[in-house]
């Protein structure tokens, strides 16, 4: 059992540094959020220590290597404050103010609420510190200078946190928060333009992009015999099982096991509701699923 | 000594239409796909029970036993000559035959989880059964990830 930890040193320091409404981070809530957000997937190399980095992420910009996010003071986040962490997650900047690459899904995580950021930060403190230096990224010449990201951010980044749309159903808004800001289903399932911005009007339409092709998961048009029911969606999120009794694998099964399976029933229902609300695939593209 | 005769027999077998007891590669693929569909149907039925959609928890043990009982057949359903070269419709990847040890390891992991699930389901503990069921499903997906075509 993990305890609830106060942030930023002693409890009194933490109280002084934070607004009165701030909750203390709960590492167990953080662990579920981290599983849903896939933090360890990109920050752990095969067979490596959790969060110690090294994982290779091939993209159209070149190959990124997830850095060390364990609390090691020299190679990890040990010297970071919560404010540094918030700047990375919400603003996509490192503690020196330099732009981070959007291969780190901060354009989604920017939507994560203040409370959930605290939970994630509390969870990060429970990773074993590992003194493993970061592997440098291996990027195409045009992508090497972080300064190019300033331009990219004008089209690819809208700062959070997430806000429900006016009049939005609260369950749907909760689901959209979990699906867009935290789980970022679109991070794998939405096709991107040449510069890596999600293609408009193609939300969750599937992509062959590395590391693994991710299928079209848009709802089928109404009346289609292959249409999934709400219950089918909840089952996928709880067990990784499709309506045919088949099972997902790879990165998707990891997300189910570490994330969607561990959500409360209410959150899983909300996520399924949002997923169903995404614009459907055109009737002509309905394949045999 | 026997070799020339054997080759003649094989040549004859390949040249003549299949007779009963002499399955063609297509039959074998058809059979194994039917086997997997059977697994899926049991898994789907189990899913309906563990979700409480159907209030028949006592059925779990039978479904789980059925899966466990056939789980050891799996590797035997992929003899040489039933890959994509021989049967283009198969969804099995060449890796099944080029990495037989890897394939056997995934099959063994599946069989182990299936038997563990059967033992748990026999005790009638619904909560523990849910977790054991998930572990079986994970073993299915884990093998497909490496050994079955993606566009399924």
């Amino acid at each position: 059992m993990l305890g609830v930890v106060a942030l930023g040193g002693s409890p009194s320091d933490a109280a002084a540094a934070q607004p009165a409404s701030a909750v203390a981070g709960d590492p167990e809530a953080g662990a579920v959020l981290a599983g849903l957000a896939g933090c360890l997937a990109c920050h752990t190399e095969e067979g490596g220590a959790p969060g110690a980095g090294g994982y290779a992420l091939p993209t159209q910009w070149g190959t990124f290597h997830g850095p060390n996010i364990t609390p090691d003071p020299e190679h990890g986040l040990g010297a970071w404050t919560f404010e540094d962490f918030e700047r990375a997650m919400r603003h996509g900047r490192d503690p020196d103010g330099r732009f981070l690459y959007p291969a780190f899904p901060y354009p989604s995580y920017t939507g994560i609420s203040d409370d959930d950021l605290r939970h994630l930060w509390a969870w990060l403190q429970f990773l074993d510190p590992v003194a493993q230096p970061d592997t440098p990224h291996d990027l195409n010449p045009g992508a090497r200078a972080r300064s190019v990201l300033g331009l990219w951010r004008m089209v690819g980044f809208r700062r959070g946190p997430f806000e429900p749309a006016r009049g939005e159903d609260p369950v749907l808004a909760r689901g959209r928060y979990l699906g867009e800001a935290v789980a970022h289903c679109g991070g794998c399932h939405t096709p991107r333009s040449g510069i890596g911005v999600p293609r408009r009007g193609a939300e969750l339409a599937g992509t062959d992009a590395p590391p693994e092709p991710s299928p079209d998961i848009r709802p089928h048009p109404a009346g289609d015999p292959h249409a999934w029911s709400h219950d089918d969606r909840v089952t996928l999120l709880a067990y990784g099982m499709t309506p045919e009794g088949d099972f997902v694998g790879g990165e998707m099964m990891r997300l189910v096991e570490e994330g969607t399976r561990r959500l409360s029933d209410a959150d899983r229902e909300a996520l399924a509701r949002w997923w169903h609300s995404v614009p459907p695939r055109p009737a002509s593209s309905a394949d045999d699923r | 000594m026997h070799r020339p005769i054997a080759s003649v027999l094989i040549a004859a077998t390949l040249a003549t239409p299949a007779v009963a007891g002499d399955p063609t590669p297509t039959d074998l693929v058809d059979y194994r796909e039917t086997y997997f569909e059977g697994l899926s149907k049991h898994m789907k039925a189990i899913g309906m029970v563990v979700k409480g959609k159907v209030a028949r928890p006592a059925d779990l043990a039978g479904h789980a036993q059925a899966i466990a009982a056939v789980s050891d057949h799996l590797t035997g359903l992929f003899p040489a000559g039933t890959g994509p070269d021989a049967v283009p419709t198969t969804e099995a990847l060449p890796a099944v035959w080029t990495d037989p040890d890897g394939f056997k390891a995934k099959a063994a992991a599946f069989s182990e989880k299936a038997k563990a699930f059967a033992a748990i389901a026999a005790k009638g503990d619904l909560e523990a059964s849910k977790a054991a069921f998930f572990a079986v499903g994970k073993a299915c997906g884990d093998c497909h990830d490496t050994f079955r075509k993606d566009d399924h």
Side-chain angles (χ1 to χ4, degrees):
Chain A
M1 250 319 248
L2 305 171
V4 172
V5 294
L7 297 158
S10 76
S12 54
D13 287 352
Q18 286 166 23
S21 67
V23 298
D26 170 358
E28 289 198 51
V32 175
L33 290 161
L36 194 59
C39 311
L40 290 183
C42 287
H43 287 278
T44 309
E45 79 192 311
E46 177 112 36
Y55 174 83
L57 181 71
T59 71
Q60 72 268 50
W61 302 26
T63 299
F64 289 92
H65 292 277
N68 185 337
I69 57 167
T70 71
D72 182 73
E74 192 185 344
H75 300 291
L77 307 181
W80 286 37
T81 62
F82 173 71
E83 286 67 32
D84 292 334
F85 176 63
E86 182 187 29
R87 190 176 307 126
M89 296 283 285
R90 185 157 295 151
H91 302 268
R93 288 172 182 264
D94 74 7
D96 298 325
R98 291 180 313 165
F99 296 133
L100 291 166
Y101 286 100
F104 164 46
Y106 76 84
S108 304
Y109 298 157
T110 185
I112 296 179
S113 70
D114 291 352
D115 286 357
D116 284 349
L117 284 180
R118 290 199 173 81
H119 297 324
L120 280 165
W121 182 242
W123 166 77
L124 281 166
Q125 312 313 311
F126 274 87
L127 294 178
D128 285 334
V130 180
Q132 175 174 307
D134 290 344
T135 309
H137 305 318
D138 180 12
L139 303 182
N140 309 331
R144 276 183 207 148
R146 286 179 186 267
S147 50
V148 302
L149 294 170
L151 275 175
W152 187 89
R153 289 163 67 104
M154 292 168 69
V155 281
F157 178 55
R158 220 175 116 232
R159 182 155 65 81
F162 172 92
E163 300 267 1
R166 189 184 312 195
E168 188 174 20
D169 174 294
V171 175
L172 210 54
R174 174 71 183 162
R176 194 160 67 83
Y177 169 72
L178 294 170
E180 290 181 357
V182 189
H184 65 292
C185 311
C188 298
H189 287 280
T190 300
R192 279 156 199 275
S193 70
I195 57 161
V197 176
R199 278 207 353 245
R200 237 176 241 280
E203 195 179 1
L204 306 185
T207 151
D208 285 333
E212 246 185 293
S214 307
D216 187 344
I217 58 163
R218 291 175 294 181
H220 291 79
D224 188 296
H226 302 293
W228 289 33
S229 67
H230 173 71
D231 185 57
D232 290 337
R233 292 192 177 81
V234 173
T235 302
L236 188 289
L237 298 172
Y239 291 102
M241 184 168 72
T242 70
E244 292 87 45
D246 206 341
F247 286 79
V248 297
E251 289 297 319
M252 190 61 209
M253 191 46 126
R254 178 211 286 270
L255 173 68
V256 170
E257 183 172 28
E258 294 173 6
T260 56
R261 190 173 160 64
R262 297 163 75 189
L263 291 174
S264 67
D265 287 346
D267 275 351
R268 211 161 24 241
E269 298 273 337
L271 187 50
R273 282 271 309 276
W274 162 76
W275 172 14
H276 186 50
S277 76
V278 166
R281 57 185 92 188
S284 58
S285 88
D287 58 14
D288 63 351
R289 268 192 277 265
Chain B
M1 269 302 207
H2 295 285
R3 210 176 271 157
I5 297 172
S7 342
V8 169
L9 282 179
I10 288 166
T13 314
L14 290 175
T16 50
V19 292
D22 180 18
T24 64
T26 307
D27 291 335
L28 290 167
V29 169
D30 189 20
Y31 179 69
R32 76 181 172 226
E33 288 185 346
T34 306
Y35 164 93
F36 285 120
E37 281 158 27
L39 294 183
S40 291
K41 293 291 182 204
H42 279 294
M43 293 298 273
K44 182 167 183 176
I46 294 163
M48 292 166 84
V49 175
V50 298
K51 284 182 289 169
K53 211 173 172 187
V54 177
R56 295 183 62 85
D59 289 4
L60 287 182
H63 288 300
Q65 266 165 32
I67 294 171
V70 297
S71 65
D72 287 328
H73 302 185
L74 201 154
T75 45
L77 305 180
F78 293 85
T82 63
D85 290 346
V87 187
T89 56
T90 181
E91 291 181 344
L93 291 173
V96 169
W97 295 274
T98 56
D99 176 18
D101 292 344
F103 187 66
K104 275 186 204 136
K106 300 282 188 205
F110 157 63
S111 179
E112 185 192 313
K113 299 293 180 201
K115 287 170 188 168
F117 175 38
I120 288 167
K123 292 192 197 133
D125 178 342
L126 187 60
E127 280 312 306
S129 293
K130 286 182 186 175
F133 162 62
F134 177 66
V136 176
K138 216 186 131 195
C140 311
D142 198 31
C143 180
H144 296 160
D145 209 31
T146 329
F147 295 105
R148 192 181 73 179
K149 279 185 196 153
D150 255 338
D151 56 332
H152 189 263

mmCIF file of all heavy atoms in Angstrom, chain A residues 136-157:
data_model
loop_
_atom_site.group_PDB
_atom_site.id
_atom_site.type_symbol
_atom_site.label_atom_id
_atom_site.label_comp_id
_atom_site.label_asym_id
_atom_site.label_seq_id
_atom_site.Cartn_x
_atom_site.Cartn_y
_atom_site.Cartn_z
ATOM 1 N N PRO A 136 20.658 9.986 -26.397
ATOM 2 C CA PRO A 136 20.299 11.137 -27.243
ATOM 3 C C PRO A 136 19.339 10.716 -28.363
ATOM 4 O O PRO A 136 19.419 9.593 -28.855
ATOM 5 C CB PRO A 136 21.639 11.587 -27.830
ATOM 6 C CG PRO A 136 22.698 10.827 -27.112
ATOM 7 C CD PRO A 136 22.072 9.627 -26.477
ATOM 8 N N HIS A 137 18.434 11.625 -28.736
ATOM 9 C CA HIS A 137 17.543 11.356 -29.867
ATOM 10 C C HIS A 137 18.381 11.296 -31.140
ATOM 11 O O HIS A 137 19.453 11.894 -31.226
ATOM 12 C CB HIS A 137 16.503 12.473 -30.018
ATOM 13 C CG HIS A 137 15.705 12.736 -28.775
ATOM 14 N ND1 HIS A 137 15.214 11.745 -27.971
ATOM 15 C CD2 HIS A 137 15.295 13.916 -28.208
ATOM 16 C CE1 HIS A 137 14.531 12.285 -26.962
ATOM 17 N NE2 HIS A 137 14.579 13.598 -27.075
ATOM 18 N N ASP A 138 17.852 10.588 -32.132
ATOM 19 C CA ASP A 138 18.547 10.482 -33.419
ATOM 20 C C ASP A 138 17.603 11.049 -34.478
ATOM 21 O O ASP A 138 16.807 10.327 -35.060
ATOM 22 C CB ASP A 138 18.871 9.002 -33.657
ATOM 23 C CG ASP A 138 19.589 8.786 -34.974
ATOM 24 O OD1 ASP A 138 20.038 9.791 -35.571
ATOM 25 O OD2 ASP A 138 19.681 7.624 -35.411
ATOM 26 N N LEU A 139 17.678 12.385 -34.674
ATOM 27 C CA LEU A 139 16.652 13.066 -35.469
ATOM 28 C C LEU A 139 17.143 13.475 -36.849
ATOM 29 O O LEU A 139 18.340 13.657 -37.065
ATOM 30 C CB LEU A 139 16.157 14.302 -34.714
ATOM 31 C CG LEU A 139 15.598 14.004 -33.309
ATOM 32 C CD1 LEU A 139 15.093 15.282 -32.662
ATOM 33 C CD2 LEU A 139 14.493 12.951 -33.363
ATOM 34 N N ASN A 140 16.190 13.623 -37.770
ATOM 35 C CA ASN A 140 16.498 14.108 -39.108
ATOM 36 C C ASN A 140 17.037 15.535 -38.986
ATOM 37 O O ASN A 140 16.635 16.273 -38.079
ATOM 38 C CB ASN A 140 15.249 14.120 -39.984
ATOM 39 C CG ASN A 140 14.537 12.780 -39.954
ATOM 40 O OD1 ASN A 140 15.175 11.741 -39.757
ATOM 41 N ND2 ASN A 140 13.223 12.794 -40.111
ATOM 42 N N PRO A 141 17.919 15.937 -39.928
ATOM 43 C CA PRO A 141 18.549 17.258 -39.808
ATOM 44 C C PRO A 141 17.541 18.382 -39.568
ATOM 45 O O PRO A 141 17.748 19.227 -38.707
ATOM 46 C CB PRO A 141 19.266 17.434 -41.144
ATOM 47 C CG PRO A 141 19.505 16.032 -41.635
ATOM 48 C CD PRO A 141 18.398 15.176 -41.085
ATOM 49 N N GLY A 142 16.417 18.367 -40.275
ATOM 50 C CA GLY A 142 15.462 19.473 -40.169
ATOM 51 C C GLY A 142 14.774 19.554 -38.820
ATOM 52 O O GLY A 142 14.141 20.559 -38.508
ATOM 53 N N ALA A 143 14.892 18.506 -38.001
ATOM 54 C CA ALA A 143 14.144 18.468 -36.747
ATOM 55 C C ALA A 143 15.050 18.629 -35.536
ATOM 56 O O ALA A 143 14.593 18.598 -34.401
ATOM 57 C CB ALA A 143 13.375 17.145 -36.645
ATOM 58 N N ARG A 144 16.379 18.821 -35.808
ATOM 59 C CA ARG A 144 17.304 18.770 -34.667
ATOM 60 C C ARG A 144 17.219 19.972 -33.758
ATOM 61 O O ARG A 144 17.422 19.860 -32.557
ATOM 62 C CB ARG A 144 18.743 18.588 -35.175
ATOM 63 C CG ARG A 144 19.004 17.114 -35.422
ATOM 64 C CD ARG A 144 20.423 16.845 -35.845
ATOM 65 N NE ARG A 144 20.412 15.621 -36.651
ATOM 66 C CZ ARG A 144 21.234 15.365 -37.646
ATOM 67 N NH1 ARG A 144 22.153 16.246 -37.977
ATOM 68 N NH2 ARG A 144 21.140 14.244 -38.312
ATOM 69 N N ALA A 145 16.941 21.149 -34.311
ATOM 70 C CA ALA A 145 16.927 22.355 -33.475
ATOM 71 C C ALA A 145 15.572 22.500 -32.800
ATOM 72 O O ALA A 145 14.535 22.522 -33.468
ATOM 73 C CB ALA A 145 17.226 23.581 -34.333
ATOM 74 N N ARG A 146 15.577 22.581 -31.483
ATOM 75 C CA ARG A 146 14.319 22.703 -30.749
ATOM 76 C C ARG A 146 13.585 24.004 -31.089
ATOM 77 O O ARG A 146 12.385 24.121 -30.877
ATOM 78 C CB ARG A 146 14.577 22.642 -29.244
ATOM 79 C CG ARG A 146 14.898 21.238 -28.775
ATOM 80 C CD ARG A 146 15.187 21.169 -27.291
ATOM 81 N NE ARG A 146 15.618 19.817 -26.937
ATOM 82 C CZ ARG A 146 14.803 18.851 -26.516
ATOM 83 N NH1 ARG A 146 13.527 19.087 -26.353
ATOM 84 N NH2 ARG A 146 15.267 17.655 -26.240
ATOM 85 N N SER A 147 14.350 24.977 -31.629
ATOM 86 C CA SER A 147 13.707 26.256 -31.938
ATOM 87 C C SER A 147 12.615 26.102 -33.006
ATOM 88 O O SER A 147 11.658 26.870 -33.014
ATOM 89 C CB SER A 147 14.758 27.265 -32.392
ATOM 90 O OG SER A 147 15.567 26.680 -33.390
ATOM 91 N N VAL A 148 12.751 25.077 -33.902
ATOM 92 C CA VAL A 148 11.709 24.914 -34.932
ATOM 93 C C VAL A 148 10.350 24.633 -34.293
ATOM 94 O O VAL A 148 9.299 24.822 -34.894
ATOM 95 C CB VAL A 148 12.009 23.776 -35.947
ATOM 96 C CG1 VAL A 148 13.327 24.004 -36.646
ATOM 97 C CG2 VAL A 148 11.956 22.395 -35.296
ATOM 98 N N LEU A 149 10.391 24.172 -33.039
ATOM 99 C CA LEU A 149 9.144 23.792 -32.382
ATOM 100 C C LEU A 149 8.259 24.995 -32.091
ATOM 101 O O LEU A 149 7.055 24.865 -31.907
ATOM 102 C CB LEU A 149 9.435 23.021 -31.098
ATOM 103 C CG LEU A 149 10.111 21.662 -31.340
ATOM 104 C CD1 LEU A 149 10.598 21.059 -30.042
ATOM 105 C CD2 LEU A 149 9.127 20.712 -32.026
ATOM 106 N N GLY A 150 8.853 26.173 -32.058
ATOM 107 C CA GLY A 150 8.059 27.375 -31.828
ATOM 108 C C GLY A 150 6.991 27.505 -32.904
ATOM 109 O O GLY A 150 5.820 27.775 -32.624
ATOM 110 N N LEU A 151 7.403 27.281 -34.146
ATOM 111 C CA LEU A 151 6.453 27.336 -35.258
ATOM 112 C C LEU A 151 5.429 26.225 -35.145
ATOM 113 O O LEU A 151 4.236 26.419 -35.335
ATOM 114 C CB LEU A 151 7.209 27.168 -36.587
ATOM 115 C CG LEU A 151 7.810 28.415 -37.186
ATOM 116 C CD1 LEU A 151 8.629 28.047 -38.424
ATOM 117 C CD2 LEU A 151 6.686 29.384 -37.569
ATOM 118 N N TRP A 152 5.948 25.030 -34.855
ATOM 119 C CA TRP A 152 5.060 23.871 -34.754
ATOM 120 C C TRP A 152 3.947 24.123 -33.747
ATOM 121 O O TRP A 152 2.773 23.795 -33.976
ATOM 122 C CB TRP A 152 5.868 22.624 -34.331
ATOM 123 C CG TRP A 152 5.032 21.384 -34.386
ATOM 124 C CD1 TRP A 152 4.866 20.563 -35.464
ATOM 125 C CD2 TRP A 152 4.200 20.862 -33.338
ATOM 126 N NE1 TRP A 152 3.979 19.551 -35.149
ATOM 127 C CE2 TRP A 152 3.564 19.716 -33.857
ATOM 128 C CE3 TRP A 152 3.928 21.237 -32.025
ATOM 129 C CZ2 TRP A 152 2.675 18.937 -33.097
ATOM 130 C CZ3 TRP A 152 3.040 20.480 -31.275
ATOM 131 C CH2 TRP A 152 2.423 19.342 -31.813
ATOM 132 N N ARG A 153 4.328 24.744 -32.640
ATOM 133 C CA ARG A 153 3.347 24.943 -31.570
ATOM 134 C C ARG A 153 2.197 25.850 -32.007
ATOM 135 O O ARG A 153 1.089 25.760 -31.460
ATOM 136 C CB ARG A 153 4.039 25.528 -30.331
ATOM 137 C CG ARG A 153 4.940 24.501 -29.643
ATOM 138 C CD ARG A 153 5.919 25.166 -28.707
ATOM 139 N NE ARG A 153 5.273 25.775 -27.560
ATOM 140 C CZ ARG A 153 5.278 25.244 -26.334
ATOM 141 N NH1 ARG A 153 5.879 24.100 -26.109
ATOM 142 N NH2 ARG A 153 4.690 25.876 -25.340
ATOM 143 N N MET A 154 2.463 26.720 -32.987
ATOM 144 C CA MET A 154 1.383 27.604 -33.435
ATOM 145 C C MET A 154 0.245 26.806 -34.049
ATOM 146 O O MET A 154 -0.916 27.198 -33.969
ATOM 147 C CB MET A 154 1.921 28.646 -34.419
ATOM 148 C CG MET A 154 2.855 29.628 -33.719
ATOM 149 S SD MET A 154 3.780 30.651 -34.867
ATOM 150 C CE MET A 154 2.463 31.657 -35.504
ATOM 151 N N VAL A 155 0.574 25.674 -34.684
ATOM 152 C CA VAL A 155 -0.499 24.854 -35.273
ATOM 153 C C VAL A 155 -0.830 23.622 -34.429
ATOM 154 O O VAL A 155 -1.943 23.121 -34.468
ATOM 155 C CB VAL A 155 -0.176 24.387 -36.711
ATOM 156 C CG1 VAL A 155 -0.421 25.472 -37.712
ATOM 157 C CG2 VAL A 155 1.235 23.843 -36.805
ATOM 158 N N GLY A 156 0.146 23.122 -33.679
ATOM 159 C CA GLY A 156 -0.042 21.818 -33.054
ATOM 160 C C GLY A 156 -0.357 21.840 -31.573
ATOM 161 O O GLY A 156 -0.529 20.776 -30.973
ATOM 162 N N PHE A 157 -0.431 23.030 -30.968
ATOM 163 C CA PHE A 157 -0.559 23.061 -29.518
ATOM 164 C C PHE A 157 -1.574 24.101 -29.066
ATOM 165 O O PHE A 157 -1.501 25.259 -29.483
ATOM 166 C CB PHE A 157 0.811 23.384 -28.905
ATOM 167 C CG PHE A 157 0.813 23.495 -27.403
ATOM 168 C CD1 PHE A 157 0.330 22.459 -26.610
ATOM 169 C CD2 PHE A 157 1.313 24.636 -26.777
ATOM 170 C CE1 PHE A 157 0.335 22.550 -25.220
ATOM 171 C CE2 PHE A 157 1.327 24.735 -25.385
ATOM 172 C CZ PHE A 157 0.838 23.699 -24.616
#
